[in-house]
Amino acid sequence: PLIFGKLSLMAIVHPQYDPVALDLGFLQMHWYGLMYLLAFASAYGLAWYRSKQRSDFTADMVSDLVFFGAMGVILGGRVGYVLLYNFSEFLANPAYLFKVWEGGMSFHGGFMGVVLAMWFFAKKYQKSAFAVLDFVAPCVPLGLLFGRLGNFINGELWGRVSSGDYGYLMYFPQAVYADQNLLTHSPELAPLAQQVGEYLLLPRHPSQLYQAFTEGVLLFILLWLFSLKARPRYAVSALFLMGYGLSRFTTEFFREPDVGYTLIFGWMSKGQLFSLPMIIVGIALLVLAYKRPIYDIQPIQK
């Protein structure tokens, strides 16, 4: 069953999914791999649809665009994770960069990888880099949605412990060691603990779902509606930067900070720190977009 039953504090146990989503005997596909596949497929479908509404992008260009973007996500995500979160491990063992089977991807690294990939794409087709970024930005949030759903299915990147009487709090068996450490150092949390099978667990926010909703669903709706009309260059990219940065900064308050990383100023996570420049750059680009408007697609005259 997807839900094992309600427990104290109205919390539920995280569904323990089989990590293999599809097993054909000769081929196994894990959930996270499936989520990546859905992310790239959704990006392709949305970009193809957008290309039909305008004359400056063709179907062949969309195929190239998604390929460039996929390479940027994968390479940038891995390199960003290693350099931003495990740089000391990389210095001690540079081969760690290639140990992708041990997991580890960073959104902010993947984002920079995509920006670089879109720059190469723009050079190839002799376009403005921001014309390309404005075109692709509304196609990205659904990919983020699938990525966060993959995090939830895997029971990783769980939320912070909460004492609130909320029906959506969850016990994560994957967090058992983190919970044990918290109970050891903060015995006042003991009344919140619940015996779940062989584990003594604490109720946590399902922050993966919070991020899926804000970074995925809400940001997609906002960007898609905004981009239905011709906007000046930089504007759509600016809205993506501000929208993602604000949603990530907010939801990080409900997400458990990564193990081993000290909070900045005692409250700010690395995810929040890396999101601040996105918000600032987004605001600056939005001002620039409307101060000196340049239209890659001319607005309809009324």
Side-chain angles (χ1 to χ4, degrees):
L2 294 182
I3 296 177
F4 291 165
K6 292 187 177 181
L7 301 170
S8 63
L9 291 175
M10 298 297 291
I12 56 179
V13 179
H14 173 267
Q16 297 297 282
Y17 297 96
D18 186 331
V20 178
L22 181 65
D23 189 349
L24 301 178
F26 63 92
L27 173 68
Q28 286 188 340
M29 177 171 287
H30 288 70
W31 280 106
Y32 210 61
L34 178 60
M35 292 300 107
Y36 264 92
L37 182 62
L38 290 174
F40 295 139
S42 68
Y44 179 85
L46 293 172
W48 178 85
Y49 179 83
R50 281 175 61 75
S51 73
K52 297 299 180 182
Q53 314 305 312
R54 44 198 291 175
S55 60
D56 55 337
F57 282 86
T58 66
D60 288 339
M61 290 169 65
V62 167
S63 297
D64 233 12
L65 181 75
V66 174
F67 175 76
F68 274 62
M71 292 300 99
V73 167
I74 295 170
L75 297 177
R78 179 59 185 174
V79 171
Y81 174 79
V82 171
L83 297 184
L84 297 175
Y85 292 93
N86 280 282
F87 188 62
S88 59
E89 177 75 19
F90 172 71
L91 290 179
N93 178 22
Y96 175 68
L97 178 65
F98 305 102
K99 293 183 178 181
V100 293
W101 58 89
E102 293 185 3
M105 296 285 282
S106 160
F107 165 80
H108 293 93
F111 170 74
M112 293 306 300
V114 168
V115 170
L116 187 60
M118 294 303 98
W119 182 81
F120 281 114
F121 176 88
K123 294 285 286 185
K124 177 178 179 179
Y125 288 98
Q126 298 182 329
K127 291 180 175 292
S128 160
F130 271 101
V132 176
L133 289 169
D134 286 344
F135 174 81
V136 79
C139 308
V140 173
L142 285 190
L144 302 179
L145 166 65
F146 289 122
R148 293 308 181 192
L149 290 179
N151 294 146
F152 177 76
I153 290 171
N154 287 343
E156 62 192 11
L157 306 183
W158 50 77
R160 302 188 190 202
V161 171
S162 174
S163 59
D165 188 13
Y166 309 123
Y168 47 79
L169 293 179
M170 279 192 165
Y171 296 106
F172 288 90
Q174 292 90 339
V176 59
Y177 296 114
D179 288 351
Q180 289 176 351
N181 184 59
L182 271 175
L183 288 169
T184 299
H185 293 90
S186 303
E188 68 275 9
L189 295 177
L192 302 178
Q194 172 73 36
Q195 192 73 34
V196 181
E198 59 184 295
Y199 305 124
L200 189 63
L201 302 176
L202 291 166
R204 294 177 174 273
H205 287 282
S207 57
Q208 312 98 321
L209 298 182
Y210 301 172
Q211 292 185 296
F213 181 68
T214 55
E215 301 168 11
V217 178
L218 287 183
L219 187 56
F220 169 71
I221 294 172
L222 180 65
L223 281 170
W224 193 262
L225 293 178
F226 183 73
S227 63
L228 287 178
K229 294 183 179 180
R231 305 292 179 180
R233 187 182 295 174
Y234 312 122
V236 179
S237 297
L239 188 61
F240 174 84
L241 289 170
M242 291 188 296
Y244 179 86
L246 288 169
S247 61
R248 178 68 182 269
F249 194 92
T250 302
T251 53
E252 281 281 320
F253 284 114
F254 300 96
R255 176 174 161 178
E256 181 74 14
D258 294 320
V259 177
Y261 300 108
T262 304
L263 290 173
I264 303 155
F265 307 125
W267 61 270
M268 183 185 291
S269 70
K270 275 198 169 184
Q272 290 173 313
L273 177 65
F274 298 145
S275 295
L276 279 177
M278 297 182 71
I279 299 171
I280 295 169
V281 172
I283 294 172
L285 284 176
L286 193 63
V287 171
L288 178 63
Y290 286 96
K291 186 175 183 180
R292 297 179 180 178
I294 302 171
Y295 286 89
D296 295 297
I297 297 294
Q298 291 300 316
I300 298 174
Q301 300 296 324
K302 295 183 179 181

